[in-house]
Amino acid sequence: MNTYTALWQKELAQAFTHPPALLDYLNLSPQLASSLATKNFAMRVPLAYAECMEKGNINDPLLQQVLPLNKELIEEQGYLNDPVGDLDCLINDCLIHKYHGRVLFITTGGCAVNCRFCFRRNFPYAEVQLTKEKELHAVQYLQKNTDIHEVIFSGGDPLLLSNRRIQGLILALSDIAHIQRIRFHTRLPIVLPSRIDSELIAIFNNAPLPIILVTHCNHPNELSAAVKSACLSLKQANISLLNQSVLLKGINDTLPILSSLSEKLFACGILPYYLHVLDKAKGSAHFDIPQQSAINLHQQLQAQLSGYLVPKLVREEAGKSSKTLLF
Ligand SMILES: *Cc1c(COP(=O)(O)O)cnc(C)c1O
Ligand code: SF4
């Protein structure tokens, strides 16, 4: 048995899962959360993320991303359980092969933080666990499909896998001649920076294939000193760092916030990649903004920032061969 528990695993086990406890930590009234909303989708917030929130401010942009509210229970037309059509595309229970040349590899249903706007909130991802058998079948599929050049680990959050498991996956893929790159989509460097431990960095640094890591950061306040230090150590290990954000009403839908986010990401060694408009997941309508407002905001960002600091504004649509550019 593996008796060693890494620091990040201890921190994860101690994450806030009870809304009144988080509100109490923030000097806010415990009544401000909805216990009903956690029945559909639990709350989960690591202390490292809560530490970036402003005490006493119910409108804090980080708190608002994770706090269960009654608004989530309102049924809005057009907001669906599987807004991006992923369920139709699952191969061997863990691969989503929708786009040319690359495949999404779902490693685990879990995340360190449960973002209330996430399309995953209604997805039976919680049952997705990567067994050895599934991993074997996935690797066989990748071996057979010689037009796949990039494997994208996603979830849930793939960095919730142990270092040993991540190393095993990287080595298995490196043996497949046509795979040229490995990408990780993860929010862990942002919400639990202790996850980027020296062992993981060494695994990435010694990987036979180039590693790309796409963080998910939505607000400049998420980029604490600890997050910056974790990202810079990844960068020093020759990992390409990109970021995707979701445009969220009342959280990051202003020009000053989005431009500060891009500038601060760059200071952490990360280039902005995508700015997603919300996937219309059931329970997330209160985060949505009209598409035209998103386009206007993106144009203002373009007029203000160096070109490489402007993320591509995109929407994910079921049945398309790529993300849809909105400008
Ligand atoms: C977003 C996504 C990708 C990656 O797309 P890029 O444009 O290469 O970042 C791949 N597969 C699926 C199913 C996706 O949803
Ligand atoms: S998949 Fe990403 S956005 Fe969704 S809950 Fe997990 S960390 Fe948050």
Side-chain angles (χ1 to χ4, degrees):
M1 278 305 288
N2 181 10
T3 50
Y4 172 72
T5 309
L7 173 67
W8 69 269
Q9 287 166 325
K10 286 185 195 137
E11 287 186 19
L12 183 62
Q14 288 161 2
F16 290 104
T17 50
H18 191 48
L22 173 65
L23 289 165
D24 185 58
Y25 167 80
L26 294 169
N27 304 330
L28 288 164
S29 159
Q31 273 114 46
L32 291 166
S34 160
S35 56
L36 270 181
T38 58
K39 291 212 167 67
N40 300 331
F41 188 47
M43 188 190 83
R44 181 178 300 280
V45 184
L47 179 60
Y49 191 66
E51 279 172 347
C52 299
M53 297 173 187
E54 187 194 348
K55 296 234 165 147
N57 180 8
I58 186 64
N59 294 317
D60 179 88
L62 279 51
L63 176 61
Q64 285 293 322
Q65 292 180 55
V66 295
L67 189 68
L69 297 174
N70 280 329
K71 285 190 257 194
E72 295 171 24
L73 304 169
I74 303 169
E75 294 257 349
E76 296 277 355
Q77 218 185 351
Y79 290 79
L80 311 170
N81 276 333
D82 181 22
V84 295
D86 275 351
L87 284 178
D88 296 338
C89 309
L90 265 180
I91 304 160
N92 292 339
D93 271 350
C94 63
L95 295 177
I96 301 178
H97 192 182
K98 285 206 287 198
Y99 298 170
H100 179 76
R102 53 220 195 274
V103 67
L104 220 60
F105 196 142
I106 308 292
T107 50
T108 159
C111 285
V113 68
N114 281 345
C115 311
R116 307 312 298 179
F117 50 84
C118 184
F119 72 98
R120 177 188 148 265
R121 55 175 297 135
N122 314 304
F123 205 92
Y125 270 175
E127 292 112 61
V128 178
Q129 281 306 333
L130 187 65
T131 59
K132 279 282 170 196
E133 194 191 345
K134 272 200 236 172
E135 182 180 325
L136 192 70
H137 286 141
V139 168
Q140 283 166 351
Y141 179 87
L142 296 171
Q143 280 165 338
K144 268 195 305 216
N145 287 268
T146 52
D147 60 338
I148 297 174
H149 303 302
E150 181 175 13
V151 175
I152 305 169
F153 287 111
S154 182
D157 201 308
L159 292 192
L160 283 185
L161 294 173
S162 68
N163 287 340
R164 197 168 43 90
R165 209 71 203 280
I166 289 172
Q167 185 175 37
L169 284 165
I170 290 176
L171 294 178
L173 296 184
S174 301
D175 281 341
I176 306 176
H178 50 273
I179 307 284
Q180 290 165 8
R181 292 177 300 280
I182 301 177
R183 193 189 326 174
F184 288 84
H185 278 213
T186 173
R187 194 147 157 69
L188 278 190
I190 308 298
V191 300
L192 192 68
S194 59
R195 174 63 189 99
I196 310 305
D197 55 22
S198 51
E199 198 178 62
L200 180 67
I201 289 172
I203 290 168
F204 283 160
N205 205 12
N206 296 325
L209 292 174
I211 306 278
I212 301 139
L213 201 140
V214 181
T215 57
H216 176 181
C217 176
N218 293 325
H219 193 281
N221 293 2
E222 293 178 357
L223 296 166
S224 65
V227 170
K228 183 173 183 179
S229 153
C231 293
L232 290 177
S233 52
L234 287 165
K235 181 138 178 109
Q236 272 156 17
N238 290 317
I239 293 155
S240 303
L241 295 176
L242 301 168
N243 182 67
Q244 57 179 351
S245 307
V246 183
L247 193 53
L248 298 166
K249 185 171 170 182
I251 290 170
N252 61 8
D253 58 336
T254 70
L255 181 61
I257 291 172
L258 287 177
S259 61
S260 160
L261 174 59
S262 278
E263 301 276 3
K264 280 188 83 177
L265 284 167
F266 186 80
C268 294
I270 307 173
L271 284 176
Y273 179 37
Y274 280 145
L275 177 60
H276 288 264
V277 298
L278 193 80
D279 293 328
K280 292 191 180 299
K282 198 165 146 189
S284 70
H286 55 291
F287 288 111
D288 210 358
I289 70 170
Q291 179 159 309
Q292 193 52 49
S293 312
I295 292 171
N296 293 347
L297 207 48
H298 186 264
Q299 276 169 356
Q300 292 169 353
L301 205 57
Q302 181 85 43
Q304 172 137 340
L305 292 174
S306 304
Y308 56 85
L309 292 184
V310 184
K312 295 182 200 183
L313 182 68
V314 291
R315 172 185 291 290
E316 173 135 5
E317 287 175 308
K320 291 281 165 71
S321 59
S322 73
K323 313 274 181 250
T324 308
L325 289 174
L326 293 183
F327 56 95

